[in-house]
């Protein structure tokens, strides 16, 4: 019998230039309207942490990768 299950997800997006990620801090959006953009990753991180999970950010030359895990039960 299992006490908990974990949900894991990996999302990759193409980027025109590499994004610097320092100490797994969410980078600020490059879009001009900063009040309407850049909230999604903050929400994913908050939900992952609320459910005993985590968020991992990585970026290569052309791909930005988001991985998160959260307890399902």
């Amino acid at each position: 019998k299992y006490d908990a299950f974990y949900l894991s997800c990996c999302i990759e997006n193409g980027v025109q230039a590499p994004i610097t990620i320092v100490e797994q801090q969410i980078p600020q959006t490059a879009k001009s309207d900063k009040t309407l953009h850049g909230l999604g990753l903050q929400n994913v991180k908050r939900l992952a942490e609320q459910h005993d999970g985590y968020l991992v950010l990585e970026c290569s030359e052309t791909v930005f990768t988001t991985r998160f895990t959260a307890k399902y039960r």
Side-chain angles (χ1 to χ4, degrees), residues 1-8 47-53 69-73:
K1 179 178 170 183
Y2 296 100
D3 292 332
F5 295 94
Y6 284 85
L7 170 69
S8 294
L47 287 171
E49 290 173 350
Q50 285 177 348
H51 295 278
D52 298 324
T69 300
K71 190 183 284 186
Y72 182 66
R73 265 188 183 190

Side-chain angles (χ1 to χ4, degrees), residues 3-4 28 33-34 38 43 50 58 64-65 70 73:
D3 292 332
Q28 189 175 37
D33 188 351
K34 301 200 185 315
N43 288 332
Q50 285 177 348
E58 299 172 339
F64 182 83
T65 304
R73 265 188 183 190

Side-chain angles (χ1 to χ4, degrees), residues 3-72:
D3 292 332
F5 295 94
Y6 284 85
L7 170 69
S8 294
C9 185
C10 177
I11 301 168
E12 296 181 338
N13 287 316
V15 293
Q16 293 180 352
I19 298 170
T20 302
I21 300 167
V22 179
E23 297 181 8
Q24 289 301 304
Q25 295 297 314
I26 296 171
Q28 189 175 37
T29 183
K31 295 180 179 173
S32 60
D33 188 351
K34 301 200 185 315
T35 60
L36 294 177
H37 296 282
L39 301 175
L41 286 178
Q42 293 173 17
N43 288 332
V44 171
K45 182 177 181 179
R46 180 180 50 81
L47 287 171
E49 290 173 350
Q50 285 177 348
H51 295 278
D52 298 324
Y54 55 88
L55 175 71
V56 176
L57 305 174
E58 299 172 339
C59 192
S60 68
E61 293 292 318
T62 59
V63 178
F64 182 83
T65 304
T66 303
R67 291 187 179 92
F68 73 88
T69 300
K71 190 183 284 186
Y72 182 66

